[in-house]
Amino acid sequence: MPMSREAAERRAALVERLREQGAIRTERVAAAVAAVPRHLFAPEVTLAEAYADDIVITKRGPRGEALSSVSAPWLQALMIEQAGLEPGMRCLEIGSGGYNAALMAEVVGPDGDVTSVDIDADVVARARRCLTAAGTERVRVVHCDGEDGAPELAPYDRIIVTAGAWDVPPAWRSQLAPAGRLVVPLRLRGLTRTVAFDRVGDLLVSRSHEMCGFIAMRGMGAWHDRTVPLQGEDVVVHVDHDMPVDPAALRASLGESRTERWSGVTVGPLEAFDGLQLWLATHEAGYGQLRSTRAEAARALVDPATPWAPAFVDGASLAYHALRAVAPDTGTCEFGVYAMVRPASGSPIA
Ligand SMILES: C[S@@+](CC[C@H](N)C(=O)[O-])C[C@H]1O[C@@H](n2cnc3c(N)ncnc32)[C@H](O)[C@@H]1O
């Protein structure tokens, strides 16, 4: 089969998949995904890989960490839907891979405008090359730190940030048009949610949020979180870099007897509960995430609800989200919490 025909068939299949998942919600976005040749923005991988619903890493750092990518199609479609892009809109993308900007250009059409900025000169050069190869003339790619936006071309009807940010710098809000919308993957104590914010006067009002993961912002807006190993790499807690944690005391607390509390709140097997994580992360101090593998050594120490479970750290104490089966025939489970407190460090858990 000629490559262009195979690519078109894979694109059509991708559109169907993204519709079924709910990532594509409008005909405009469906038409863009069907039209833009994703494989020309991912020449490093095979056609099948380019159209798999997956991220394509395009640059790694010295420790093998991902520095740039063409994001997964479900996430790109979802964020463009969250942004509510329409023909004629003026847009800014922060973080360039080429493909997402090409999708945006397809949706806003010839009367719209797309500028994409990236902090990395290699990424900028690569994005320009790919856009030229795909014949997408209508995207401007600029080399700069997106923390400042791109003031010379503001205001924007839409700003889509495609790197994980821990805050919203003033430039993004001020460069939005009066009724403009910002879509940004916000890092909230270890969770990342892509949030759509509308500008209402000087305020940003959130309209929707979706679960996601993203390569972290570099430059002036860079942030770091802290990984505290409790049992090698098999049990670790991730917390904000400025959270006071005593790793040795925390490790010792794992040897203490476990207190448990059950809530009476149950959850069905296919019921999503990511809202609980978001609520905990935004309401309680000391929030982090407990990550554990299925290794025997890990299972002997902790029994969290999920491989990445909400956790709270307070000096030498650790509490984390647990689940217990209450109706094994239906798969219904009850929410609870396990906690370990080192006796010397504080009072028993209430
Ligand atoms: C996930 S990739 C972008 C994906 C891309 N939008 C696409 O088409 O799928 C994240 C990009 O953000 C860039 N980036 C990180 N920090 C940045 C910053 N402060 N300003 C601009 N770009 C930044 C990285 O260099 C990387 O290329």
Side-chain angles (χ1 to χ4, degrees), residues 72-152:
W74 68 267
L75 186 48
Q76 295 167 320
L78 193 70
M79 290 177 78
I80 293 175
E81 294 286 17
Q82 269 189 300
L85 281 198
E86 288 179 16
M89 282 184 167
R90 194 173 177 77
C91 307
L92 173 65
E93 178 194 48
I94 295 176
S96 315
Y99 177 65
N100 192 52
L103 289 178
M104 292 167 69
E106 191 67 26
V107 176
V108 300
D111 296 333
D113 189 89
V114 178
T115 299
S116 179
V117 304
D118 203 287
I119 197 166
D120 188 322
D122 294 342
V123 175
V124 168
R126 182 189 174 284
R128 285 184 183 145
R129 266 196 321 275
C130 294
L131 286 159
T132 303
T136 309
E137 307 285 319
R138 291 182 290 110
V139 175
R140 195 181 295 110
V141 188
V142 178
H143 180 208
C144 66
D145 188 335
E147 183 85 353
D148 294 328
E152 55 290 352

Side-chain angles (χ1 to χ4, degrees), residues 38 55 58 67-72 76 93-102 116-120 123 144-147 161-164 172 214-222:
R38 181 171 165 95
I55 181 175
T58 54
L67 292 180
S68 189
S69 68
V70 175
S71 299
Q76 295 167 320
E93 178 194 48
I94 295 176
S96 315
Y99 177 65
N100 192 52
S116 179
V117 304
D118 203 287
I119 197 166
D120 188 322
V123 175
C144 66
D145 188 335
E147 183 85 353
V161 182
T162 65
W172 297 352
F214 256 101
I215 285 174
M217 285 287 281
R218 292 188 261 163
M220 283 186 305

